[in-house]
């Protein structure tokens, strides 16, 4: 059976690539995103998929009925839930489209049999989570929630994210608008070989940074980097002013290390908390960083660390800044592909 898939917030196609990596027999019947550049990249990689650049909430219900999707994939805007943000949750205007999708789910006759949601760690503490969970149980969905990190799959990149899997195979039940759904998160996936993190704290949270990143099974960074010539390296060198005044706030790693920080859309623009930089020789903290031995990771390397296959390609007219921003807004293909396989075949 070929699964009919609808991608909401499709970005550059992270969910689509995950479907392929998981070898799911599927057909993406429609993709939705409002980002012009992301859609340009998506069409470049998947030219046969219709991509709609419209506000989801402005579309008629008849369109979604006609798609007859088996699977919805979603990676809604994370800004309402990030630790650095105001954490306004469903009150944030950027959450409006997802709240619409939650409501849409209750009105559709042709409901998807499966749902996969990805968002930042922090979504699980928002008011949006119980709103979504109430809708799921009211309409007969069974769900599982996860907090996972690519480090667990031996990818040397720390990107802790919240994931929800749902399947339409339970009895609907009524629940009040105040039902809270106590946290019950999983840190491993049945049938997959994941490194187990350190024990959870009293609130059920796991410190992936301390519990996983130095595990000997995590691969070294140099397995994901490119061999660049001096000329090819030029666009990725740090500016002298940045190195002199902000070099100390960067997360600096070497090719032999087994962890990089989460790459965000602000990578190369801001120094702190946006991703690691690579010191190609010497010992971090002992040998000085120089313009010759220190550089940013390339977009291809960032994509590798996030589990994107070599097939991911950027159109030639996308700038370096745009590529970093798009990757920072994307997802860990390595983690999502494992969840896709479990959702479709084992859940």
């Amino acid at each position: 059976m070929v699964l009919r898939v609808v991608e909401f917030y499709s970005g550059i196609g992270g969910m689509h690539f995950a479907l392929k990596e998981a070898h799911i027999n599927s057909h993406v019947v429609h993709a939705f995103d409002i980002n012009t550049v992301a859609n340009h990249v998506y069409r470049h990689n998947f030219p046969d998929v219709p991509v709609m650049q419209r506000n989801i909430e402005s579309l008629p219900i008849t369109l979604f009925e006609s798609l007859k999707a088996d699977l919805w994939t979603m990676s809604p805007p994370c800004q309402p839930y990030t630790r650095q943000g105001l954490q306004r949750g469903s009150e944030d205007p950027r959450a409006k489209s997802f709240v619409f999708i939650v409501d849409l789910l209750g009105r559709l006759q042709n409901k998807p049999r499966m749902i996969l949601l990805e968002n930042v760690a922090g979504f699980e503490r928002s008011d949006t989570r119980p709103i979504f969970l109430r809708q799921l149980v009211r309409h007969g969905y069974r769900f599982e929630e996860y907090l996972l990190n690519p480090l667990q799959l031996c990818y040397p990149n720390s990107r802790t994210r919240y994931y929800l899997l749902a399947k339409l195979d339970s009895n609907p039940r009524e629940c009040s608008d105040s039902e809270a759904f106590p946290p019950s998160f999983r840190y491993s996936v049945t049938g997959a070989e994941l490194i187990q993190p350190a024990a959870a704290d009293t609130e059920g949270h796991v410190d992936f940074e301390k519990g996983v990143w130095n595990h000997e099974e995590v691969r070294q960074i140099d397995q994901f980097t490119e061999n660049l010539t001096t000329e090819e390296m030029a666009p990725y060198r740090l500016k002298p002013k940045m190195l002199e005044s902000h070099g100390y706030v960067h997360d600096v790693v070497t090719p032999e290390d087994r962890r990089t920080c989460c790459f965000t859309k602000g990578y190369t623009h801001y120094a702190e908390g946006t991703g690691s930089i690579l010191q190609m020789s010497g010992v971090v903290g002992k040998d000085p960083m120089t313009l010759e031995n220190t550089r940013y990771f390339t977009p291809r390397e960032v994509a590798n660390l996030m589990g994107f296959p070599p097939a991911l390609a950027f159109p030639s007219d996308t700038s370096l800044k745009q590529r970093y921003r798009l990757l920072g807004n994307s997802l860990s293909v390595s983690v999502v592909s494992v969840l896709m396989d479990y959702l479709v075949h084992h859940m």
Side-chain angles (χ1 to χ4, degrees):
M1 175 184 174
V2 179
L3 284 182
R4 293 175 61 85
V5 182
V6 169
E7 282 185 274
F8 293 107
Y9 316 101
S10 49
I12 60 174
M15 291 286 188
H16 199 145
F17 280 113
L19 283 165
K20 290 183 174 295
E21 290 296 295
H23 305 292
I24 304 295
N25 188 12
S26 60
H27 171 52
V28 178
V29 295
H30 226 299
F32 298 88
D33 204 289
I34 60 171
N35 186 306
T36 303
V37 182
N39 289 339
H40 182 41
V41 176
Y42 189 104
R43 292 186 180 103
H44 183 75
N45 286 275
F46 305 109
D48 297 330
V49 177
V51 182
M52 184 171 289
Q53 188 170 321
R54 292 271 300 278
N55 288 326
I56 295 171
E57 57 270 30
S58 69
L59 301 172
I61 190 172
T62 52
L63 170 63
F64 302 104
E65 294 282 16
S66 68
L67 296 176
K68 298 179 180 179
D70 298 300
L71 169 64
W72 280 2
T73 66
M74 298 183 283
S75 185
C78 65
Q79 294 90 341
Y81 316 109
T82 56
R83 295 187 179 95
Q84 294 81 9
L86 298 176
Q87 298 183 350
R88 294 179 61 194
S90 59
E91 297 300 316
D92 192 305
R94 292 166 290 192
K96 183 179 179 181
S97 62
F98 180 61
V99 173
F100 170 82
I101 290 174
V102 173
D103 178 69
L104 175 69
L105 186 64
R107 294 186 288 125
L108 279 180
Q109 294 299 313
N110 294 317
K111 290 178 172 56
R113 295 189 295 110
M114 292 172 281
I115 297 171
L116 192 156
L117 169 76
E118 182 264 5
N119 214 286
V120 293
F123 180 91
E124 75 278 9
R125 295 189 293 274
S126 73
D127 70 326
T128 311
R129 171 183 172 265
I131 291 172
F132 186 34
L133 299 188
R134 290 174 202 134
Q135 189 74 306
L136 291 176
V137 300
R138 285 168 178 162
H139 294 280
Y141 285 90
R142 173 172 54 94
F143 66 86
E144 296 176 3
E145 298 176 282
Y146 295 81
L147 288 173
L148 299 172
N149 191 300
L151 293 165
Q152 296 177 266
L153 288 165
C154 302
Y155 280 77
N157 179 237
S158 183
R159 193 180 184 92
T160 304
R161 290 294 184 267
Y162 168 90
Y163 301 93
L164 179 142
L165 309 180
K167 214 158 195 178
L168 185 60
D169 61 2
S170 296
N171 293 322
R173 73 169 177 84
E174 290 299 321
C175 63
S176 70
D177 288 342
S178 61
E179 186 165 342
F181 298 94
S184 179
F185 307 120
R186 303 176 185 221
Y187 302 99
S188 61
V189 182
T190 302
E193 295 183 7
L194 273 70
I195 299 173
Q196 293 304 300
D201 62 20
T202 55
E203 296 182 353
H205 298 122
V206 166
D207 191 336
F208 284 97
E209 294 297 318
K210 295 180 180 178
V212 179
W213 71 266
N214 58 353
H215 197 289
E216 62 181 10
E217 291 182 24
V218 177
R219 288 179 279 176
Q220 291 186 173
I221 291 169
D222 60 5
Q223 296 182 38
F224 297 82
T225 55
E226 301 178 282
N227 293 319
L228 303 179
T229 65
T230 302
E231 184 178 355
E232 290 171 334
M233 202 178 300
Y236 310 108
R237 295 189 187 280
L238 278 71
K239 293 182 173 63
K241 184 178 179 180
M242 174 69 79
L243 191 60
E244 292 169 8
S245 60
H246 295 91
Y248 67 95
V249 303
H250 281 98
D251 179 76
V252 186
V253 298
T254 68
E256 294 75 32
D257 283 331
R258 299 175 187 270
R259 181 199 64 86
T260 54
C261 285
C262 178
F263 294 95
T264 74
K265 66 179 183 180
Y267 188 57
T268 73
H269 187 67
Y270 297 105
E272 188 173 8
T274 61
S276 303
I277 60 174
L278 183 64
Q279 184 172 326
M280 296 173 290
S281 60
V283 178
V284 174
K286 179 180 177 182
D287 298 310
M289 292 186 293
T290 68
L291 297 176
E292 287 70 35
N293 76 354
T294 308
R295 66 171 176 86
Y296 292 110
F297 285 86
T298 70
R300 179 66 259 174
E301 291 168 340
V302 174
N304 292 344
L305 290 164
M306 294 174 69
F308 278 91
L312 169 67
F314 289 96
S316 58
D317 58 350
T318 53
S319 68
L320 193 59
K321 180 179 179 180
Q322 288 172 329
R323 297 180 190 198
Y324 283 128
R325 288 181 65 85
L326 292 169
L327 287 165
N329 282 331
S330 192
L331 50 79
S332 173
V333 174
S334 55
V335 175
V336 174
S337 62
V338 168
L339 289 170
M340 286 279 194
D341 178 70
Y342 171 69
L343 171 63
V344 174
H345 296 127
H346 308 291
M347 181 174 165

